[in-house]
Amino acid sequence: MKKLNLLIFLFGISLFAQDKEPKKYSIEQFYENTRISGADFSADESKILTSSDESGIFNVYEINIADGSKKAVTDSKDESLFAVDYVPETSDIVYSADKGGNEIDHLYLLKEDGTTQELTTGEKEKANFAGWSGDKEYMYYSSNKRNPQFFDLYRMKIGTWETELLYENSEGYSLSGISDSGKYIALAQPITTSENKLFLLDRETGEKTEISKPGFNYSASGFNPEETEMYYTTNHGGEFSKLMSYDVETGESEVLYETNWDVMYSGLSENGSYRVIGINEDGANKLVLIDNKTGKELNIPEIKDGNILGASFSKSEEKLVLYVGTSKTPTNLYVYNMKSGEMKKLTNTLNPEIDPNDLVSAEVVRYKSFDGLEIPAIYYKPLNASADKKVPALVWVHGGPGGQSRVGYFALIQYLVNHGYAVLAVNNRGSSGYGASFYKMDDQNHGEKDLQDVIYGKKWLASQDYINENQIGIIGGSYGGYMTMAAMTFAPDEFEVGVNIFGVTNWLRTLRSIPPYWESFKKALYEEMGDPNTQDSIRLKKISPLFHAENVKNPVMVLQGANDPRVLQVESDEIVEAIRKNEVPVEYMVFPDEGHGFIKKENEIKGYRQIRLFLDKYLKDEDVNLPDPNLKD
């Protein structure tokens, strides 16, 4: 698993409130923002293919580069559709979709005449696009249709769309890359969440060569067009991941790029003339563009507060599409012209009714935990907070385990801050991005030392003279939802309220019922969390909030997707029932058409509005009548 990062300096936080009261916006206004996903060039490089949720759920769109106009290509009303790519040298489009958030993704072909063909048809088959062959004759993809536990590698002939098995993955590797001709495949084998093995398979000879060294993390990052080199990242020899090249003929590796942060991603242009490298620098991605002919870094116009989440070259190598967000605006698409140096913004995803000056910029802070360990965090301070006008606060905990709170736009956080809540997004020990040692610090220690990091984040908030120390709550999603419930059960006096969004509460059940397609990762997850089928079950029960629900004494809100394959609804049903026996207020929202996280805008609006009302009532102590959370609007 990739590690992301944060810096070692404490940025100063202004203690002065702004003179003008910021305008308050409704959750509906925040969700008149648009989310976009993915970006690929058309054959003539005049359009960008992307996905957008401006219709309420994700559909496929084309954006004209010349004038920025956008055209809807699909009009789904029920399921989100995500653009994959144009079929080479055509206007046909491949997209992916699941059913109700069940994560069983299928690939579909949308033809120029408007007809659709389902390319992967197995009822329980999960398929992932893996690229096009170098000669543009085939589409590579992985699928678990043969064995639901493992993903095999296939190719489809463009035009006939007939399937051919290229690699039967009977040993449970993760497919990490394929060369243009399909001769070479990169295979990864997770050992723990902080260690894996990386192999290069020659399909013609059947020879499999291990590139990795024991005890480190490796991730494949493509091949050169000539197939003489494979690229990968590793933290071997240091705390942070660097970019390496592996010579297929000699078997030797060398460093291509190294800095004091993790290399997040890397990609070559069509003919290998240029390379982009994404660096996770203090919780935000920075981009390095290299001319491979000269080895020199090229300058790219700076996008203020920009977090560059992805970059992709056009086939001509003349254009580069960038996927960029900031603290105050959702992700936007930019196209950079390599010849002219022009940077062109293609999208405006922030609702024009919202003035960015009413929103807050994220700031990086650090505080000491119980044992002196420095904990990095991303902080959002309300614009009008002051010692004379104290505000309530929330500790936000990211997903994972092993995720990272990062500098970037999140509508829920900006909505809460806009309504007067300070938010400290902690990166507790075990988070990605701060080096290999920090990442491993929570292994089989979850709900204990990492929980103390969260509690000390609360103490940091309480020490700020503009925070009401008696009005601090905790909120988080997925693993962060678990940490929320751990805080409410194992440290019941610390937080005034807790909001659990799709969070684990029974590790025994969760680890025993993980989706079959996680099989290649299961051993690594068990190494980090513990194996529920061994003596580890004693500790897993000890750290599972469900079995300690009698300790909960402060109000809790739980949000759950009915189709969640990771955190089953029964888990949330049980903890809600258990807490209610304590005669403690519990708000419980179940979304029948969501899985592990929100996809549909209407559900996010409903859920996040209810979160703020819940916080207003139980954290701000306002006189709020909470509507029934499960009634339709």
Side-chain angles (χ1 to χ4, degrees), residues 542-581:
K542 177 186 172 185
I543 66 169
S544 294
L546 176 63
F547 304 111
H548 311 277
E550 71 277 5
N551 297 335
V552 177
K553 58 173 69 172
N554 289 330
V556 169
M557 183 173 183
V558 178
L559 293 85
Q560 173 71 45
N563 302 320
D564 194 333
R566 309 184 195 189
V567 179
L568 304 181
Q569 183 183 329
V570 64
E571 276 196 45
S572 293
D573 291 346
E574 288 175 349
I575 192 124
V576 166
E577 181 183 1
I579 295 173
R580 282 178 175 158
K581 289 178 181 177

Side-chain angles (χ1 to χ4, degrees), residues 298-528:
L298 303 177
N299 292 324
I300 302 177
E302 183 181 0
I303 299 170
K304 188 177 179 182
D305 191 31
N307 181 27
I308 304 177
L309 300 173
S312 179
F313 290 98
S314 64
K315 184 178 179 181
S316 69
E317 300 185 324
E318 293 180 0
K319 297 184 180 79
L320 180 68
V321 61
L322 302 171
Y323 192 54
V324 186
T326 73
S327 298
K328 296 183 177 183
T329 60
T331 303
N332 280 294
L333 291 178
Y334 293 75
V335 169
Y336 176 61
N337 189 304
M338 303 280 288
K339 285 189 172 180
S340 70
E342 178 193 11
M343 180 76 82
K344 184 171 187 177
K345 186 179 181 183
L346 291 184
T347 59
N348 289 288
T349 53
L350 183 68
N351 179 0
E353 295 178 6
I354 297 177
D355 181 351
N357 293 319
D358 291 323
L359 307 183
V360 300
S361 293
E363 300 184 74
V364 179
V365 300
R366 278 173 170 74
Y367 62 88
K368 294 290 180 68
S369 189
F370 71 100
D371 56 357
L373 181 69
E374 195 170 59
I375 303 298
I378 312 298
Y379 186 50
Y380 303 82
K381 176 190 172 185
L383 295 174
N384 60 348
S386 70
D388 296 326
K389 193 171 183 180
K390 293 180 184 288
V391 296
L394 294 163
V395 174
W396 175 276
V397 191
H398 62 66
Q404 182 188 26
S405 284
R406 315 195 65 213
V407 172
Y409 183 86
F410 183 14
L412 173 57
I413 287 181
Q414 286 288 358
Y415 172 58
L416 293 174
V417 176
N418 181 245
H419 284 264
Y421 293 92
V423 177
L424 181 72
V426 302
N427 282 306
N428 50 272
R429 68 192 69 203
S431 299
S432 300
Y434 315 105
S437 299
F438 191 88
Y439 184 78
K440 297 176 185 177
M441 284 183 177
D442 69 341
D443 287 4
Q444 296 207 22
N445 206 298
H446 303 85
E448 296 176 331
K449 291 182 179 179
D450 56 357
L451 178 57
Q452 289 300 311
D453 297 338
V454 170
I455 290 170
Y456 272 71
K458 176 216 166 184
K459 294 179 187 296
W460 181 88
L461 283 167
S463 71
Q464 310 305 309
D465 66 0
Y466 51 83
I467 298 292
N468 187 329
E469 63 180 4
N470 298 314
Q471 293 182 336
I472 302 177
I474 183 170
I475 181 171
S478 191
Y479 184 78
Y482 160 69
M483 290 287 279
T484 295
M485 297 312 301
M488 302 307 286
T489 51
F490 304 131
D493 295 314
E494 291 290 348
F495 295 95
E496 295 302 309
V497 299
V499 180
N500 164 17
I501 308 170
F502 307 99
V504 176
T505 56
N506 179 351
W507 282 112
L508 293 171
R509 178 185 280 119
T510 296
L511 292 171
R512 285 172 179 161
S513 60
I514 62 174
Y517 47 85
W518 279 24
E519 185 65 27
S520 64
F521 179 62
K522 185 168 75 173
K523 181 181 176 184
L525 186 61
Y526 282 4
E527 282 290 327
E528 175 167 350

Side-chain angles (χ1 to χ4, degrees), residues 613 616-617 620-626:
L613 292 174
D616 287 351
K617 181 178 179 69
K620 282 187 177 177
D621 295 324
E622 294 182 353
D623 186 14
V624 174
N625 290 320
L626 287 173

